[in-house]
Amino acid sequence: MEDTPVPHPSRTPKALGLAVTAALSLTLAAPPALAAQASDTDPVPALVAGRDTATPRLVTGLAERAEGAPVAAALAHLAAHPERYRIDPGQLTEVATERAADGRRTVRFQQYHGGVPVLGAQYLVHLVGDGADQRVESAGGKYFTGLTAPTTAAVPEAMLRGFALGALTDPRARSGATAEDRGPVVLPGGAGRLTRHFTVRSGADRSDAPPTTREVYVDATVGDIALAHDTRAPSSAGPGPAATAATATAVSGPAATVAAGPGLEPATGTAPDAHGRRVPVNTARLPDGSHQLVDLTRRATITTYDAAGRDLLDFIGGLPADLRPATSPTADFPAATGTDGATDAHLNAGIVYDFYRDRLGREGLDGKGAPIVSLVAMTNDGAPIMNATWDGTMMSYGGGGPTYHSFAVALDIAGHEMTHGVIEHTAGLVNAGQTGAMNEALADYFGNAIEVTARGVAMTDPKAALFGESVCRTGTPESCAGRRLDDRRTTVRDYLGTDLGLDAGGVHLNSTIFSGALWDIRRTLDPLTADRLVYRALTEYLTPLDDFVDGRNAVLAAGRALNLDRARLRSVAAAFDAHGIRAGWESELGVDSRALVRAISTSTPAPAVAGGRWVMGDSTGTGAPALYTGSTTGTGTPVRLSPEDGRRHSRAATDGKAAVWPAVGPDSEGRFGTEVLTRPLDGGPVRGLFASRTEQLGEVRISGGDIAFLAEDQETGRTRILVSRDGAAPVELPLPEGHRPSDLTLRDGLVGWSERWTVDGQPRSAAAVHSLTTGRATARYESSGTINSTLLAGGRLLWVETPAGPAARSAIRSGATDGSAAVDVLPTDSPYAPATATLTASDRTITFQASGSEPAGGWTNAALPKLWQLPITGGTPVRVSCNRGGQVEPAADRDSRVLWLDATTGHTDLVVRERPATSC
Ligand SMILES: [Zn+2]
């Protein structure tokens, strides 16, 4: 173990984590030599430096000869210019070669690190000309040059799976949940991080929240969840505010199978559409003379299934084995085929297919004519599902009823969902943060383009920009539309700063910022050129972790590849400018706090603050989460506190002089466990206090020579409170059988906690204080409601108390540590009383985080969690900061100074303010 703190490797940590947007916006200054080559006057930069890598993001304007088949020619080109690219061709594997209608070839490579694929690391080489005339015209993408992470897992396989299942936050979803092993993956950023990728599906319990599917990356060295996001964003194309609270559903599973077989003959029939009009449909005739909605007229078979109201739980794991495509005994389909949405889904799939084939030269979602499957009229507990989804194998359309048609009625929604399939087979944009918002934006762009093209709507038509406007039975198109692409939103004015906990980091909430720019381009250029431009950017320039500015550069590079003249390239650049999509936009957001650490990279940073010092987890440099400490005034350089021993060090506490924390990972004998460690903030030895292989150790606290923590038995769930004084072996505090402690707090010889138990099935809770000096309980405040966030500060015990029953608001209360009196600091009837809150406090002020709830009109920055401060003796709370985005994990220092994690800029930063902003 080390005695001297080592300097923090960077003030701007770089790795994947809490907000993928943080990882997507890795800020590393471009090497001057590279930056100098970019021209200020040319709308398309000739060279864009990579971030967090020595490999350039984009090189254009080349004309270098390259002989041989495309893959070999591209690899030879990269190998011939090691100084330019810094790429080891031996780490690349071709994933696809795209051939454009003009003969141009794009070879897409995946980067591997020691045989393990690197998430989002794809590099593309563009070839033009033939034979001896073949030339590399440009190249770009993401290739990470700094990877040194191990390539074999240290955590046992079964344990990795257990951690993955822990990503299901709703405990009801845990029973019967499955974790499908997708193999090892290295997350980029710094040295990289070896993970095991699982697709986690929740169990099928009727009491559950709707089934969810999450992609979970578990750190294979220390067993932490390194990254988790929903597999696909549901309700991606729902109508307006009226339906946004409706159930979101994602059905996922093995690839949908198609019943089309040798006995099927291409045929035609008629079917009623959702409006009751009988229209011609392509069908397949079975030997018994019946017809199915199977269209055999294209390279890809288009099949449409009608769930006819079957419950979504039947579809977990894929289409039920007994479900056949929509069938009619004659060539004329019955009325339900129309009202369920099957006819429209079937027709729209064909229209979308033809658009991609005829306009852009693409055969279906995968470009190779793979079968196209739609499902309609699945229900949730008897109610229509108010959304449409692409689940990785098929489209599913819900809706229907007195107010809405089936969502299949909307061609723009069908185009949106099917474009998600195209994106999955091309740029593979990850569904999170700015990248996910760009994924949604591209789906909206093509969904809208397909509809206005097929319906002959001019781009100047006032309704041309409406999205999903045709699903309502009543009301105007404007009131029905879920989004409009001409809403003029910009990054600087409108970007919604949220972490991954809400809408996967704002993938729908921020999408029209980018789709608005693309829509403007479609209005300015002619629509065909714009469609080819955006399609070329999607298939030939974008890579899975790109952010908005990468997207801008991709579209401009595609414009150059399409030989757009300079004036048109300038108009494309102007469209992005108008939506605030330009390098460095995040820094233009007005913030009133000072950043101490930018772009935090771990999912559990949980800052601890006392006596002018902060301690926080971060995963810069080593790959495994480490702890750093710095000054709350921002002076000096943060230093690493935790040893570099391959374990996860996070969730620390400090009293301003020393820190204490749990280290998780293999111990010196290679066995997995947790150890409580402590170390003085100004250096000195790291000391192990207590270790366990069967109990999870957490909520560690420190005050002078005292250390307290919780120990939870992983088998029984029983939780003990352990306390050590002056380095002695920890002793267990008495706790009634069946009582579960949490929210541990420690100060000046007193330990406090909140406690939960049940009496005759009724939940009870209490706030308790125990004196380490006398060895006795000194205070106990019971409640029939819920007590949490207990905190010893200013000589009092503070807590948040939520009354039993449907009451919407919580009180902040305070009690003497001798148990004599409890008073309201902020009563439930105060207009400032929060629904739920977490507390932090100095000896003079209380700061609380009031969790937001979604307003009727949808999420706004104002509704995201914000911090409030009031005197510890009570008073009117005032805003700590007027920053517009999400503010979480507050940690009080002295007086009114408070630190917190702020997501306003699209990164997650540790920030500070000395005193509250009062009014915003
Ligand atoms: Zn979508």
Side-chain angles (χ1 to χ4, degrees), residues 528-551:
L528 177 61
T529 303
D531 294 346
R532 288 179 176 160
L533 174 70
V534 177
Y535 180 72
R536 183 154 268 190
L538 168 63
T539 53
E540 299 185 15
Y541 290 94
L542 285 167
T543 60
L545 290 178
D546 283 355
D547 63 16
F548 282 1
V549 172
D550 291 323

Side-chain angles (χ1 to χ4, degrees), residues 44 134 157 207 256 345 423 495 506 552 641 670 678 691 696:
V44 186
Q134 178 170 268
E157 181 96 23
S207 67
I423 293 169
Y495 192 88
R552 171 196 171 116
L641 198 63
T678 178
Q696 231 164 355

Side-chain angles (χ1 to χ4, degrees), residues 320-352:
D322 63 345
L323 188 72
R324 315 269 30 113
T327 305
S328 167
T330 70
D332 300 317
F333 283 73
T337 312
T339 50
D340 285 353
T343 308
D344 289 278
H346 198 60
L347 294 173
N348 285 343
I351 295 170
V352 174

